[in-house]
Amino acid sequence: MTYTHTAYLEDGSIAATLADLARAHRILELEGHGDMSMGHLSYRDPFGRGLWLKRGNLALSEVEQDDFILIDFDGAVLEGTGLRHLEWPLHAEIMKARPDVNFVGHSHAHFSTVLGASEEPLKPYNNHGVWFAYEGVPRFTQTSHIITTVPLGVAAAQHIGAAQALLLANHGIAFVGSTVAEVTLTGIFLEKAARFQVDLRASGFAPIEPDPEETKEKFDRIYPAKAQHNFWTYFNRRLDRVEALQGIGISQISLPPGV
Amino acid sequence: MTYTHTAYLEDGSIAATLADLARAHRILELEGHGDMSMGHLSYRDPFGRGLWLKRGNLALSEVEQDDFILIDFDGAVLEGTGLRHLEWPLHAEIMKARPDVNFVGHSHAHFSTVLGASEEPLKPYNNHGVWFAYEGVPRFTQTSHIITTVPLGVAAAQHIGAAQALLLANHGIAFVGSTVAEVTLTGIFLEKAARFQVDLRASGFAPIEPDPEETKEKFDRIYPAKAQHNFWTYFNRRLDRVEALQGIGISQISLPPGV
Amino acid sequence: MTYTHTAYLEDGSIAATLADLARAHRILELEGHGDMSMGHLSYRDPFGRGLWLKRGNLALSEVEQDDFILIDFDGAVLEGTGLRHLEWPLHAEIMKARPDVNFVGHSHAHFSTVLGASEEPLKPYNNHGVWFAYEGVPRFTQTSHIITTVPLGVAAAQHIGAAQALLLANHGIAFVGSTVAEVTLTGIFLEKAARFQVDLRASGFAPIEPDPEETKEKFDRIYPAKAQHNFWTYFNRRLDRVEALQGIGISQISLPPGV
Amino acid sequence: MTYTHTAYLEDGSIAATLADLARAHRILELEGHGDMSMGHLSYRDPFGRGLWLKRGNLALSEVEQDDFILIDFDGAVLEGTGLRHLEWPLHAEIMKARPDVNFVGHSHAHFSTVLGASEEPLKPYNNHGVWFAYEGVPRFTQTSHIITTVPLGVAAAQHIGAAQALLLANHGIAFVGSTVAEVTLTGIFLEKAARFQVDLRASGFAPIEPDPEETKEKFDRIYPAKAQHNFWTYFNRRLDRVEALQGIGISQISLPPGV
């Protein structure tokens, strides 16, 4: 499929948005977010009926345009067929608490989950970490359980506050955005920043801690809307090329190096 | 081959089970369990004659439906052609000690073997480690030798106790299940959990230790039979796609990163 | 495209040089320098008009011969179409300060950026680090901001001094050369040497520090012009084979190992 | 090319041996030994004229049957065309000192070189390290220079003593064997064992040190001639499949994971 960028503000077509959101799932698999058939993103229904959620028993790499169901904010399935993910309250409650958020993501991205399983705050050691300059990334430690009840969803939503992402200790991450591009980049940058921090700290080198005010300024300079669009289209071009080579539905499998 | 899930309870066909078990070997290679031509799984013969064991001199990635021999519990070959693995006592003795176990696996999966070569207990730092919430993963330190004698097999079987898996210090791992899906997932989750723990501890971050009772509850919630079936079918879909691209018999080789 | 080595001294054709420089971008992506659509190299215009710079919104892996614009040393675009990278001052000011430099590179290569985000000096622990035997690799810590203004470019140029490369703390790297081969090898060796040092120090092993004078002698012995040409043609042969398999424009995507 | 195993004792054909040795180079690239166009193996000429050495300016992945020259023990080229590697004394002097050795290898395999750049002795923490149970792997620290003179070659040959491999501090490794299978497995196992030790020590876990006598017994049990043959044919089957997919001459390039 040739990628054409959808202008979400003008486009009332849910189908077009879900096609982009399906691509976002497949991009996130390439960026390290896959964990078997787990991981899911959602889209706030523009008619206020609830949210569109990827259906269950599919890996991120397998999600296509049709693979969404519409649920209301109490979890009742209104449209579509397929399993409703157990963790629908995570999506529903974050959307209820955050009117600015149109897309919610959840995955067990490896390095983000490693960071999340510790007391370590995410730091802006490199450009990817700068994405989180304003709000940082809080950590939800109330439980290691998956977020399958409304009270847990409410607690997670409270905990994410105004941030772009939330570490779910010993479990995974949640991440949000007002557009598909934004939620996808948030998930991608969190995993890149977490990997950077793990490698930096594992090296034993003495880290350089950037100034917090300079970091916020840096966010303003390097991540304006046009830069986000630039990155989003890059990930889509790459997805098209990878899928032209190997089709949809497999993550690039890499075993440990030859040794 | 299009994957169709075999219902093991109703299906008396050994051939169908061995086709699934062959696929399990190939899935485990993709999940990091390969070590040249070593590694093997076995299946308790439903007629009580002994166990079906993958024949020797084949890598996990090369195992197909015909690649099994039937041996009795004393190691005598009853059916099939090909080499009997030296470590047949590991399989035979675990099956004798564990009537609940129908499948035994053995590999030198990298991160599991790294963990096993230390004093470190496996912890449920993430969802994968939760698989072992009830029994943990004991460590066999009596010897670093491969398990080629009945006394060593008996010792290993005693040491695994009621657990799903056993670390063989400075050697590898053994893992068990009542179904092909279960033994395969056990091997996969042990390697994922070990890698997670190695990365978390190497980072130097202060880990968060989940509560053991909560972890058992979490196992009950995230790993019911239908979830296991869900993951098993995911690994099979992915195996089919990978093999459609590159055939049977090579692990995805990844060298160290471009640097 | 079949690679034929361009003799830069005799060849007045800018197009041929830019074809090689485009290949250098694509080689650097394979060597770990990619970061979405960021990263760029430049070429000092042989007619003294300024410099040719890769245009924006393209990944290193996507750069082809036509993907350059000509800017003067004040950043005015003289030829070509496409976005001018915000960090053009980094290129312009280094070229102004360094008459020996005909090519400037900038990337966020992972391990180099990890090293750069610390106080750790790059050491010649292996052959790749020996590339920097004479001048080492200084670190620019004045700011973590991207180099988008002339004063920042001047500061970076002062800071690189006579060295082949510069660590930009919490950001990335700059690297230079008098030929395409030299700038490309500088970027490649910095990333390899940084990865080596990260792995060595992360292991906790007590490192062996080679003698600085011996290291300079070693540079003279292992990196004469013909060796550099040898390596440059190797990277080009490999680029041709990779692109014959998968075309231009995708970095080899590797997810974390099967686990 | 369909692999057929050559019986080296009976086969007087140098060409057949060099075809196998060329394959050994290509297998070693897949196993992490590649470093641009460096790395080389040699074969003691059965007519006592000297040794066959891979010619220069080729990567390990590119070596085919014709890519060898015959040199005498003083480095004079007797047959073949192409560059003589600068480090021919490393091969010549080891062969002179070691009448049991028919094949010598040299590479900059990553994890072996990391280990070699430290004071850390290689330990038999897993099966791969057991390959070195009897003699261990000494470390040459006299210089970090490449071995381009007869005195340096003599020193390296003295330093390897009766061992299978030698760490060349801050440089790379040398490894030997009486057959192609043996030299190739020695190189492969050293890199695997080094990687294992780096990961184990980087984790911070308290390692379990196997008993040295038990380790020698383990070598006798797990590495008899037929097991070596088994592994050698495995690596050849895999080479054939990889080359059927992608041809000769490119290492599998893996960038750092998606993050």
Side-chain angles (χ1 to χ4, degrees):
Chain A
M1 166 186 145
T2 307
Y3 174 74
T4 53
H5 175 68
T6 308
Y8 300 115
L9 294 177
E10 297 84 44
D11 183 2
S13 164
I14 290 169
T17 306
L18 293 182
D20 276 332
L21 189 59
R23 294 175 63 88
H25 284 74
R26 305 200 308 267
I27 287 167
L28 285 165
E29 176 97 49
L30 295 180
E31 288 299 313
H33 282 254
D35 180 15
M36 300 182 292
S37 47
M38 291 175 296
H40 27 82
L41 290 93
S42 60
Y43 164 49
R44 184 192 294 276
D45 179 65
F47 296 99
R49 294 172 290 175
L51 55 141
W52 294 87
L53 179 61
K54 166 230 166 191
R55 52 188 175 193
N57 290 11
L58 284 173
L60 291 176
S61 63
E62 299 174 308
V63 178
E64 300 187 69
Q65 180 177 10
D66 292 345
D67 290 319
F68 294 90
I69 60 176
L70 174 66
I71 64 173
D72 66 19
F73 288 109
D74 300 315
V77 177
L78 304 181
E79 277 189 44
T81 56
L83 285 176
R84 180 192 67 176
H85 270 287
L86 293 176
E87 291 188 279
W88 65 267
L90 179 65
H91 297 260
E93 293 304 324
I94 287 177
M95 286 195 189
K96 285 163 70 177
R98 290 282 294 271
D100 63 305
V101 163
N102 293 313
F103 296 88
V104 178
H106 171 57
S107 82
H108 305 158
H110 178 72
F111 291 102
S112 305
T113 307
V114 167
L115 180 75
S118 81
E119 310 278 6
E120 184 82 6
L122 182 81
K123 301 248 183 106
Y125 285 125
N126 77 335
N127 286 12
H128 304 132
V130 168
W131 182 261
F132 305 97
Y134 278 87
E135 305 286 347
V137 183
R139 174 183 284 101
F140 180 74
T141 57
Q142 178 182 313
T143 181
S144 63
H145 274 309
I146 57 177
I147 309 298
T148 57
T149 68
V150 169
L152 276 178
V154 169
Q158 279 170 352
H159 223 93
I160 196 173
Q164 296 274 75
L166 178 69
L167 301 169
L168 302 164
N170 306 106
H171 169 198
I173 56 175
F175 47 100
V176 303
S178 60
T179 64
V180 175
E182 194 180 32
V183 70
T184 310
L185 292 177
T186 300
I188 291 173
F189 289 153
L190 179 54
E191 184 60 1
K192 287 181 182 282
R195 180 201 177 204
F196 193 92
Q197 190 160 340
V198 167
D199 281 0
L200 177 56
R201 291 288 311 283
S203 71
F205 301 156
I208 295 173
E209 309 268 343
D211 172 70
E213 288 314 305
E214 180 176 288
T215 302
K216 290 175 187 167
E217 254 179 35
K218 187 171 175 179
F219 174 90
D220 297 339
R221 292 185 194 181
I222 69 174
Y223 292 131
K226 65 178 178 179
Q228 295 187 31
H229 176 71
N230 171 11
F231 304 142
W232 169 245
T233 56
Y234 159 76
F235 283 113
N236 275 276
R237 289 196 302 279
R238 190 180 71 171
L239 181 72
D240 282 345
R241 293 182 187 114
V242 171
E243 292 183 340
L245 278 183
Q246 63 179 45
I248 281 177
I250 68 180
S251 46
Q252 277 271 7
I253 297 154
S254 292
L255 298 187
V259 287
Chain B
M1 163 185 147
T2 307
Y3 173 73
T4 54
H5 175 67
T6 307
Y8 301 116
L9 294 178
E10 297 85 45
D11 184 2
S13 165
I14 290 169
T17 305
L18 293 181
D20 275 332
L21 188 59
R23 294 175 63 88
H25 284 75
R26 304 200 309 266
I27 287 167
L28 285 166
E29 176 97 49
L30 295 181
E31 288 299 313
H33 281 254
D35 180 15
M36 300 183 293
S37 48
M38 290 175 297
H40 28 81
L41 290 95
S42 60
Y43 164 48
R44 185 192 295 274
D45 179 67
F47 297 98
R49 295 172 289 175
L51 54 142
W52 294 88
L53 178 61
K54 165 231 166 190
R55 52 187 175 193
N57 291 11
L58 283 174
L60 292 176
S61 64
E62 299 174 308
V63 178
E64 299 188 69
Q65 180 177 9
D66 291 344
D67 290 319
F68 293 90
I69 61 176
L70 174 67
I71 65 173
D72 66 19
F73 288 109
D74 300 314
V77 178
L78 304 182
E79 277 189 44
T81 56
L83 284 175
R84 181 193 66 178
H85 271 286
L86 293 176
E87 291 189 279
W88 66 268
L90 179 65
H91 297 261
E93 293 303 324
I94 288 177
M95 284 196 190
K96 285 164 70 178
R98 290 281 294 272
D100 64 304
V101 162
N102 295 312
F103 296 88
V104 178
H106 171 57
S107 82
H108 305 160
H110 177 72
F111 290 103
S112 304
T113 308
V114 166
L115 180 75
S118 81
E119 310 278 5
E120 184 82 7
L122 182 81
K123 300 248 183 106
Y125 284 124
N126 77 335
N127 285 12
H128 304 132
V130 168
W131 182 261
F132 305 97
Y134 278 88
E135 304 286 347
V137 183
R139 175 183 283 103
F140 179 74
T141 57
Q142 178 181 315
T143 182
S144 64
H145 274 310
I146 57 177
I147 309 299
T148 57
T149 69
V150 169
L152 276 178
V154 169
Q158 279 170 353
H159 223 93
I160 196 172
Q164 295 274 72
L166 177 69
L167 301 169
L168 302 164
N170 306 105
H171 170 199
I173 57 176
F175 46 100
V176 302
S178 60
T179 64
V180 175
E182 193 180 33
V183 70
T184 310
L185 292 177
T186 300
I188 291 173
F189 288 154
L190 178 56
E191 185 59 2
K192 287 180 182 281
R195 181 202 176 203
F196 192 92
Q197 191 160 339
V198 166
D199 280 0
L200 177 57
R201 291 287 311 282
S203 71
F205 301 156
I208 295 174
E209 310 268 344
D211 172 69
E213 288 314 304
E214 180 176 288
T215 301
K216 290 176 188 166
E217 255 180 37
K218 186 171 176 179
F219 174 89
D220 297 340
R221 292 184 193 182
I222 68 174
Y223 293 130
K226 65 180 178 174
Q228 297 186 30
H229 176 72
N230 171 11
F231 303 141
W232 171 244
T233 55
Y234 159 74
F235 284 114
N236 275 276
R237 289 196 302 278
R238 189 180 71 170
L239 181 73
D240 282 345
R241 293 182 187 116
V242 171
E243 292 183 340
L245 277 183
Q246 64 179 45
I248 281 177
I250 69 180
S251 48
Q252 276 271 7
I253 296 154
S254 291
L255 298 188
V259 285
Chain C
M1 165 185 145
T2 306
Y3 174 73
T4 53
H5 176 66
T6 307
Y8 301 114
L9 294 176
E10 297 84 45
D11 184 3
S13 164
I14 290 170
T17 305
L18 293 181
D20 275 331
L21 189 59
R23 293 175 64 87
H25 285 74
R26 305 200 307 267
I27 287 168
L28 285 166
E29 176 96 50
L30 295 181
E31 288 298 313
H33 282 254
D35 181 16
M36 300 182 293
S37 47
M38 292 174 296
H40 26 82
L41 291 94
S42 60
Y43 164 47
R44 185 193 294 276
D45 179 66
F47 297 98
R49 295 172 288 176
L51 55 141
W52 294 88
L53 178 60
K54 166 232 168 189
R55 52 189 175 190
N57 290 10
L58 283 175
L60 291 176
S61 64
E62 299 173 309
V63 178
E64 300 188 69
Q65 180 177 9
D66 291 344
D67 290 320
F68 294 88
I69 60 176
L70 174 66
I71 64 174
D72 66 19
F73 288 108
D74 300 315
V77 177
L78 304 180
E79 277 189 43
T81 56
L83 285 175
R84 180 193 66 178
H85 270 288
L86 293 176
E87 291 188 280
W88 65 267
L90 178 65
H91 297 260
E93 292 305 324
I94 288 178
M95 284 195 190
K96 284 164 71 178
R98 289 282 294 272
D100 63 304
V101 163
N102 294 313
F103 296 88
V104 178
H106 171 56
S107 83
H108 305 159
H110 177 74
F111 290 101
S112 305
T113 307
V114 167
L115 181 75
S118 81
E119 310 278 4
E120 184 82 6
L122 182 81
K123 300 247 183 107
Y125 283 125
N126 77 336
N127 286 11
H128 304 132
V130 168
W131 182 262
F132 305 97
Y134 278 87
E135 304 286 348
V137 183
R139 175 182 283 103
F140 180 74
T141 57
Q142 178 180 313
T143 182
S144 64
H145 274 310
I146 58 177
I147 309 298
T148 57
T149 68
V150 169
L152 276 179
V154 169
Q158 279 170 352
H159 223 94
I160 196 173
Q164 295 274 73
L166 178 69
L167 301 170
L168 302 164
N170 306 105
H171 170 198
I173 57 175
F175 46 101
V176 303
S178 60
T179 64
V180 175
E182 193 179 33
V183 70
T184 310
L185 292 177
T186 300
I188 291 173
F189 289 153
L190 178 55
E191 185 59 2
K192 287 180 181 282
R195 180 201 178 205
F196 192 92
Q197 190 159 341
V198 167
D199 280 0
L200 177 56
R201 290 288 311 282
S203 72
F205 301 156
I208 295 173
E209 309 269 342
D211 172 70
E213 288 314 305
E214 181 176 287
T215 301
K216 289 176 187 166
E217 255 180 36
K218 187 171 175 179
F219 173 89
D220 297 338
R221 292 184 193 182
I222 69 175
Y223 292 130
K226 65 179 177 175
Q228 295 186 31
H229 177 72
N230 172 11
F231 303 142
W232 170 245
T233 55
Y234 159 75
F235 282 114
N236 276 276
R237 289 197 302 278
R238 189 180 71 169
L239 181 72
D240 281 346
R241 292 182 187 115
V242 171
E243 293 183 341
L245 278 184
Q246 63 181 44
I248 281 177
I250 69 180
S251 48
Q252 277 271 9
I253 298 154
S254 292
L255 299 187
V259 286
Chain D
M1 164 186 146
T2 308
Y3 174 72
T4 53
H5 176 67
T6 307
Y8 301 115
L9 294 177
E10 296 85 43
D11 184 359
S13 164
I14 291 170
T17 305
L18 293 182
D20 275 331
L21 188 59
R23 294 175 63 87
H25 284 74
R26 305 199 308 266
I27 287 168
L28 285 165
E29 176 96 50
L30 295 180
E31 288 299 312
H33 281 253
D35 181 14
M36 300 183 293
S37 48
M38 290 175 296
H40 27 82
L41 291 94
S42 60
Y43 164 48
R44 185 193 293 276
D45 179 66
F47 297 98
R49 294 172 290 176
L51 55 141
W52 294 87
L53 178 61
K54 165 231 166 188
R55 52 189 175 192
N57 290 11
L58 283 174
L60 291 177
S61 64
E62 300 173 308
V63 178
E64 300 188 70
Q65 182 178 9
D66 291 344
D67 289 320
F68 294 90
I69 60 176
L70 174 66
I71 65 173
D72 66 19
F73 288 109
D74 301 314
V77 178
L78 305 180
E79 278 189 43
T81 56
L83 285 176
R84 181 193 65 176
H85 270 288
L86 293 176
E87 291 188 279
W88 66 267
L90 178 65
H91 297 261
E93 292 304 324
I94 287 177
M95 284 195 191
K96 285 164 69 178
R98 289 280 295 270
D100 64 305
V101 162
N102 294 313
F103 296 88
V104 178
H106 171 57
S107 82
H108 305 159
H110 177 73
F111 290 103
S112 304
T113 307
V114 166
L115 181 75
S118 81
E119 310 278 7
E120 184 81 6
L122 182 80
K123 301 248 183 107
Y125 284 125
N126 78 334
N127 285 12
H128 304 132
V130 168
W131 182 262
F132 305 97
Y134 279 86
E135 304 287 346
V137 183
R139 175 183 283 103
F140 180 73
T141 56
Q142 178 181 314
T143 182
S144 64
H145 275 309
I146 58 177
I147 310 298
T148 57
T149 69
V150 169
L152 277 178
V154 169
Q158 279 170 352
H159 223 94
I160 195 172
Q164 295 274 72
L166 178 70
L167 300 169
L168 302 165
N170 306 106
H171 169 198
I173 56 175
F175 46 101
V176 303
S178 60
T179 64
V180 175
E182 194 180 32
V183 69
T184 310
L185 292 178
T186 300
I188 291 173
F189 288 154
L190 178 56
E191 185 60 1
K192 287 181 183 281
R195 179 201 178 205
F196 192 93
Q197 190 160 339
V198 167
D199 281 0
L200 177 56
R201 292 287 311 282
S203 71
F205 301 156
I208 294 173
E209 309 269 343
D211 172 71
E213 289 313 304
E214 181 177 288
T215 301
K216 290 176 187 166
E217 255 180 36
K218 187 171 174 179
F219 174 89
D220 297 340
R221 292 183 192 182
I222 68 175
Y223 292 130
K226 66 179 176 174
Q228 297 186 32
H229 177 71
N230 172 11
F231 303 142
W232 170 245
T233 55
Y234 159 75
F235 283 114
N236 276 277
R237 290 196 301 279
R238 190 181 70 170
L239 181 72
D240 281 345
R241 293 182 187 115
V242 171
E243 293 183 341
L245 278 183
Q246 63 180 46
I248 280 177
I250 68 180
S251 47
Q252 276 271 8
I253 296 153
S254 293
L255 298 186
V259 287

